[in-house]
Amino acid sequence: MWLLLAVISTLFIGVSTILSKIGIKDADAYVTGAVTNTVLLAAFAGTALFSGSFGQVSDMTMHTWLSVLASGIVLSISWAFYFLGLKGGSVSVFLAIQSLTIVISMILCAVFIKEKITVFMMVGTALIITGTLLMMDRQELAALSGKGLLNSEQRWILFAGLSAVCASISYVIVKSDTEPIDTNVTSTFRYIIVVVMLWLLLAKKGKGREFGEISPKTWLFILLGAAASGAGHVLVYKALFLGKAAVIMTIYRMGMVISIILSRIFLKEKLSAKGWGGFGLLVLGVILFAVGR
């Protein structure tokens, strides 16, 4: 059962990235981020309410509440950068950069939670980084070596990288809390913080007027992408509760493969022979990393 849930969640996540990319082309990144995370909040809250898990709130310790608060703040920053990066870059390279969360999380967990780093994980790390660099074109690589990340069209690379770093920090904060509270409950409170911060950011940026300029078709893709993302997140958490985390997260991260394939079909994005080689190394790195855990 948990294996089926993991596969379905991966399909939802893979599709959600494409739908969000189509929608965000004609919409503001701040608006898309706020709306998407509001739907995510509704998905977590609805699941917790349906399962009756909110009764566990009284069991949440001060450490858990602090974990929720800290991870929620960092995660909101990650989501803000995520949509800024997704809007500016190609899906394939953007997701390759996002895969670096695996590497960053490994380092942070080793430093702060004292988790072991195996040889397989180190080889996987090398493959992920090499694959990511190979998937970039000349302009993107040139931006990495100079000031292009700050003052050019390649600034989305910086946003994608910052999103990955913040997501990794949030993950480690969440993992440091070992209390047996339903993840849908803690995620509900975490995403309340995320949603509030993203809507405040939207208001501060003066993006409220953007709502009236978004076409019904664009709204459809944004909402479908948000719904698919919400379903994917809820299902993967359920799978993690029932099955083997290492296997589930490997399957879950393969949503990147689905998104890259779909981006070629629906967005007409292309990868060079070098890029496809990098993609292969990236996938192999993710698998090796999971095997070595």
Side-chain angles (χ1 to χ4, degrees):
M1 179 64 179
W2 59 266
L3 190 59
L4 178 61
L5 290 175
V7 172
I8 295 174
S9 71
T10 299
L11 292 173
F12 273 123
I13 292 298
V15 171
S16 71
T17 304
I18 300 302
L19 292 171
S20 297
K21 177 62 177 179
I22 295 173
I24 206 172
K25 285 196 301 184
D26 299 312
D28 181 78
Y30 295 104
V31 172
T32 305
V35 171
T36 297
N37 280 278
T38 300
V39 174
L40 278 172
L41 169 59
F44 284 123
T47 303
L49 186 64
F50 180 77
S51 62
S53 300
F54 276 124
Q56 298 180 19
V57 172
S58 59
D59 297 325
M60 292 174 65
T61 64
M62 180 60 68
H63 182 270
T64 298
W65 282 113
L66 289 174
S67 172
V68 168
L69 176 62
S71 61
I73 292 172
V74 178
L75 189 59
S76 64
I77 299 171
S78 175
W79 274 115
F81 284 131
Y82 177 94
F83 284 102
L84 288 170
L86 181 62
K87 184 175 178 67
S90 65
V91 169
S92 56
V93 179
F94 172 77
L95 290 177
I97 296 172
Q98 284 290 300
S99 71
L100 295 176
T101 55
I102 302 172
V103 177
I104 301 168
S105 297
M106 175 194 72
I107 296 171
L108 292 176
C109 285
V111 173
F112 295 104
I113 310 180
K114 307 305 179 184
E115 288 192 351
K116 293 183 179 179
I117 298 177
T118 66
V119 174
F120 276 108
M121 292 168 72
M122 289 189 287
V123 174
T125 294
L127 291 175
I128 290 171
I129 294 174
T130 302
T132 299
L133 293 173
L134 286 174
M135 289 177 70
M136 293 182 173
D137 61 27
R138 290 182 179 179
Q139 290 181 330
E140 291 161 350
L141 289 172
L144 290 177
S145 60
K147 297 181 179 180
L149 288 180
L150 299 176
N151 54 18
S152 75
E153 294 181 356
Q154 305 302 329
R155 189 169 53 171
W156 67 268
I157 298 174
L158 176 62
F159 294 145
L162 290 173
S163 172
V165 171
C166 291
S168 301
I169 294 172
S170 178
Y171 170 78
V172 175
I173 294 173
V174 171
K175 194 167 184 178
S176 68
D177 180 27
T178 58
E179 294 296 326
I181 305 297
D182 190 312
T183 53
N184 287 304
V185 175
T186 52
S187 293
T188 296
F189 291 108
R190 185 175 299 112
Y191 271 84
I192 288 174
I193 297 169
V194 171
V195 168
V196 168
M197 290 193 66
L198 289 181
W199 281 99
L200 287 174
L201 179 61
L202 185 149
K204 184 177 180 180
K205 293 287 185 179
K207 300 293 184 178
R209 61 182 180 275
E210 301 284 343
F211 282 90
E213 300 175 6
I214 299 175
S215 69
K217 181 179 179 181
T218 298
W219 273 120
L220 176 63
F221 282 112
I222 291 174
L223 292 174
L224 285 175
S229 181
H233 280 81
V234 169
L235 288 175
V236 76
Y237 280 131
K238 183 64 175 179
L240 285 169
F241 180 75
L242 296 173
K244 299 178 180 179
V247 177
I248 292 167
M249 291 312 297
T250 302
I251 295 172
Y252 182 72
R253 289 186 177 115
M254 288 302 105
M256 169 189 63
V257 177
I258 297 172
S259 295
I260 291 175
I261 293 173
L262 291 178
S263 71
R264 181 176 177 82
I265 297 172
F266 295 103
L267 301 177
K268 308 302 180 184
E269 292 186 359
K270 295 182 179 180
L271 278 175
S272 63
K274 176 176 73 71
W276 281 113
F279 174 65
L281 290 178
L282 181 62
V283 173
L284 180 59
V286 172
I287 294 173
L288 282 177
F289 193 94
V291 170
R293 295 195 67 176

